[in-house]
Amino acid sequence: MRIKHKLTSFWSLIKKTYFNWNRNDPWARSATIAYYALFSLPSLLIIVVSVAGYFFGQEAVQGRITTQISEFIGVESARAIEGMIANAALNDSSTLALIFGFAFLIFGATGVFFQLKAAMNNIWNVAAKRNTVKRIIINRIISLGMVFVLGLLMLISLVISAILAALNDYLASIAPVITTFMLDLLNFLISFIIITSLFAAIFKWLPDVKLRWKTTYLGAMLTTVLFLLAEYIIGFYFGQSNPGSVYGGASSVVLILLWVYYTCLIVFFGAEFTVQYALHKKDRVEPNEYAEPAIYRELELLERKKGQLIDEKRLLDTLQSYSEEDESDSSKSSK
């Protein structure tokens, strides 16, 4: 009975999650973030490659990223991204050019997380109190931190891959039959942990709410399951139908946009599940010192809209009175 009750509760959470997820219009928000991601991707990858490449070499890290991306959206798109990294790299020019180049690199890399933060706040129904210069800088720093988290996770992934390669040689000499199965299982578990950690960091740090890690990780685990499932489905879909073929030379860009678009839909669903789970468990979730419940902002906007409507009505009444006076004058002159 306890298992049945938990399954019923979980199904109820999934239904609430879906209805609220759909109500928040994830389609438009995912399209917006996909657009920003296209311009942020070169800068973001440059920083990730630089962080992880400091220890393993940039060519090794770049090759790993290309291999991973090619599994999702094909070799051509992976090569296009590789070209983005090469073209966005800072060369050894003047000091002033390097400073400006680095500044634009940071601004570009944090753009997608900046927009993702706004979407997360909308899901949690919170809004920033004031967009001061200080808060904008803090948001950019948080977004930059997420970029470095990506670099750190890539570094961890490379370290583990090196360990697994050594373990593979050892197991092959002892039990060659189980080597492949063991390594596939280890790779899956490691990928699951790394991706879950990334989603947990996004759910924990991006929205302007105070949230427990336990709640965050549960939502991140569901998001990872959906992401890995979608990875297979999207990879199969791209491989069989090739949706970017009709766009000719722009097919690589279209596939990148589609990949980010579908990924954002999954991330938003996981974030909405985290919200519903927190409500179900009656966790204490409140805005941080920089935010407030969105209803206050909505009431403020309604008051402004009310004032605008009053002004518009006053203007219409004035124009109508002018029209009535003109009609009266014209009728008098005709008599």
Side-chain angles (χ1 to χ4, degrees):
M1 292 296 293
R2 181 177 297 180
I3 296 176
K4 182 179 180 181
H5 176 70
K6 287 185 177 181
L7 289 175
T8 303
S9 298
F10 181 75
W11 178 243
S12 177
L13 277 176
I14 292 294
K15 288 194 296 184
K16 289 180 181 178
T17 299
Y18 172 77
F19 288 124
N20 284 277
W21 171 79
N22 191 53
R23 186 181 61 184
N24 283 327
D25 194 14
W27 320 100
R29 290 187 175 275
S30 296
T32 301
I33 293 177
Y35 174 81
Y36 275 94
L38 184 63
F39 295 98
S40 298
L41 196 58
S43 302
L44 190 151
L45 290 176
I46 278 291
I47 295 177
V48 170
V49 168
S50 299
V51 172
Y54 180 80
F55 299 93
F56 277 85
Q58 292 193 4
E59 291 185 0
V61 178
Q62 191 169 326
R64 177 63 179 271
I65 292 175
T66 304
T67 302
Q68 290 292 110
I69 293 176
S70 64
E71 294 178 0
F72 294 150
I73 52 178
V75 178
E76 292 185 5
S77 299
R79 288 175 181 170
I81 291 176
E82 194 174 15
M84 290 180 185
I85 298 174
N87 294 330
L90 298 176
N91 52 26
D92 296 328
S93 54
S94 64
T95 303
L96 186 61
L98 282 174
I99 292 173
F100 278 105
F102 184 74
F104 280 111
L105 196 67
I106 296 297
F107 184 81
T110 57
V112 64
F113 287 107
F114 200 74
Q115 294 300 317
L116 193 57
K117 178 182 180 66
M120 290 292 170
N121 279 344
N122 179 70
I123 291 173
W124 280 101
N125 288 320
V126 296
K129 290 180 179 178
R130 289 182 301 169
N131 277 325
T132 61
V133 175
K134 178 182 176 181
R135 186 55 188 164
I136 292 174
I137 293 174
I138 291 175
N139 287 339
R140 287 288 174 178
I141 292 174
I142 293 173
S143 300
L144 181 61
M146 292 304 306
V147 177
F148 281 109
V149 166
L150 279 175
L152 179 62
L153 291 175
M154 176 60 68
L155 177 60
I156 294 172
S157 176
L158 288 168
V159 170
I160 293 174
S161 295
I163 295 173
L164 287 178
L167 184 62
N168 181 31
D169 297 335
Y170 176 73
L171 290 176
S173 61
I174 299 176
V177 178
I178 65 170
T179 299
T180 303
F181 173 76
M182 288 289 293
L183 287 178
D184 288 343
L185 181 60
L186 281 173
N187 271 319
F188 174 79
L189 291 176
I190 291 165
S191 297
F192 188 89
I193 292 171
I194 290 175
I195 297 172
T196 299
S197 299
L198 175 61
F199 288 143
I202 290 174
F203 295 163
K204 173 71 175 178
W205 291 331
L206 284 187
D208 289 318
V209 294
K210 299 175 182 178
L211 186 63
R212 292 193 309 162
W213 276 109
K214 181 180 178 181
T215 305
T216 302
Y217 260 101
L218 189 65
M221 287 175 64
L222 176 66
T223 308
T224 303
V225 171
L226 294 175
F227 176 79
L228 293 175
L229 181 63
E231 174 189 333
Y232 173 79
I233 296 173
I234 292 171
F236 179 81
Y237 169 63
F238 285 171
Q240 296 297 319
S241 61
N242 193 13
S245 60
V246 295
Y247 296 94
S251 60
S252 297
V253 174
V254 172
L255 289 178
I256 293 170
L257 287 171
L258 285 174
W259 178 45
V260 177
Y261 177 77
Y262 291 135
T263 302
C264 285
L265 289 175
I266 295 169
V267 171
F268 292 154
F269 189 88
E272 189 63 58
F273 177 82
T274 306
V275 173
Q276 297 304 319
Y277 180 76
L279 292 173
H280 176 72
K281 287 295 183 179
K282 298 180 181 179
D283 285 347
R284 184 180 179 183
V285 180
E286 56 186 8
N288 60 22
E289 61 271 24
Y290 300 106
E292 62 185 359
I295 189 172
Y296 297 148
R297 179 60 55 84
E298 292 172 2
L299 289 173
E300 181 181 343
L301 292 175
L302 285 174
E303 286 295 326
R304 291 182 183 178
K305 186 66 176 178
K306 181 180 177 181
Q308 291 174 359
L309 291 174
I310 291 174
D311 291 338
E312 290 176 6
K313 184 177 184 303
R314 187 180 296 115
L315 178 61
L316 288 174
D317 291 341
T318 303
L319 292 175
Q320 187 175 1
S321 65
Y322 290 159
S323 177
E324 291 174 354
E325 290 178 2
D326 292 339
E327 289 178 2
S328 176
D329 293 340
S330 60
S331 63
K332 289 180 180 179
S333 60
S334 62
K335 293 179 179 179

